Amino acid sequence: MYNAHMVPREDGKLGSRQEQDFSVATSAVVPATEVAARLFGGDADAQHFAEKQAIEFADRWLLWFCTEAPEPPQCTRLDFLVAHTGRGAVSVWTCEVGECGASLCSLEVHGRNVAALNNAAQR
């Protein structure tokens, strides 16, 4: 899922209206087929590299969870901040690790309940 807004560049110049209007993230999503065009200036290689890095970070977070507790959480939300730094290049950071609660704002309560129930039934 892409929940994204462009932000002003490091040189302080404002770009698109979208950049000027940024204040907080929302649950509005950008369809995957439009991400490269809308958020990476048409750079599909950068989009794919960002996705690859985010998946690697998610795997590392899940490994960390397994080192801290006997089993990973039933569900969690990982938020990533991505900066398009050049043609085919991005910087990706983890900006939030959320619990199974209201922070999963775009996931209906039924999905969270099923995850909790499945986790309890496995024991």
Side-chain angles (χ1 to χ4, degrees), residues 1-7 18-19 22-31 34-35 38-40 80-82:
M1 173 184 357
Y2 293 89
N3 174 336
H5 296 277
M6 295 178 74
V7 295
Q18 207 173 16
E19 290 173 335
F22 178 81
S23 59
V24 296
T26 68
S27 61
V29 298
V30 176
E34 298 176 19
V35 170
R38 290 178 58 182
L39 303 174
F40 290 95
F80 300 100
L81 177 64
V82 177

Side-chain angles (χ1 to χ4, degrees), residues 58-79:
D59 287 343
R60 290 179 189 166
W61 274 111
L62 292 174
L63 179 62
W64 178 83
F65 280 126
C66 290
T67 66
E68 296 297 311
E71 57 191 55
Q74 60 211 18
C75 65
T76 190
R77 180 178 119 177
L78 302 171
D79 291 350

Side-chain angles (χ1 to χ4, degrees), residues 14-117:
L14 292 177
S16 70
R17 178 75 183 161
Q18 207 173 16
E19 290 173 335
Q20 296 172 29
D21 289 344
F22 178 81
S23 59
V24 296
T26 68
S27 61
V29 298
V30 176
T33 56
E34 298 176 19
V35 170
R38 290 178 58 182
L39 303 174
F40 290 95
D43 189 352
D45 290 337
Q47 175 190 350
H48 297 301
F49 187 55
E51 290 170 351
K52 182 179 182 235
Q53 282 193 313
I55 289 168
E56 288 175 7
F57 285 168
D59 287 343
R60 290 179 189 166
W61 274 111
L62 292 174
L63 179 62
W64 178 83
F65 280 126
C66 290
T67 66
E68 296 297 311
E71 57 191 55
Q74 60 211 18
C75 65
T76 190
R77 180 178 119 177
L78 302 171
D79 291 350
F80 300 100
L81 177 64
V82 177
H84 184 209
T85 57
R87 194 83 191 143
V90 296
S91 291
V92 179
W93 299 273
T94 302
C95 61
E96 182 178 354
V97 178
E99 76 290 345
C100 180
S103 67
L104 297 171
C105 56
S106 63
L107 180 63
E108 292 298 324
V109 70
H110 308 301
R112 294 185 297 231
N113 290 346
V114 167
L117 181 61

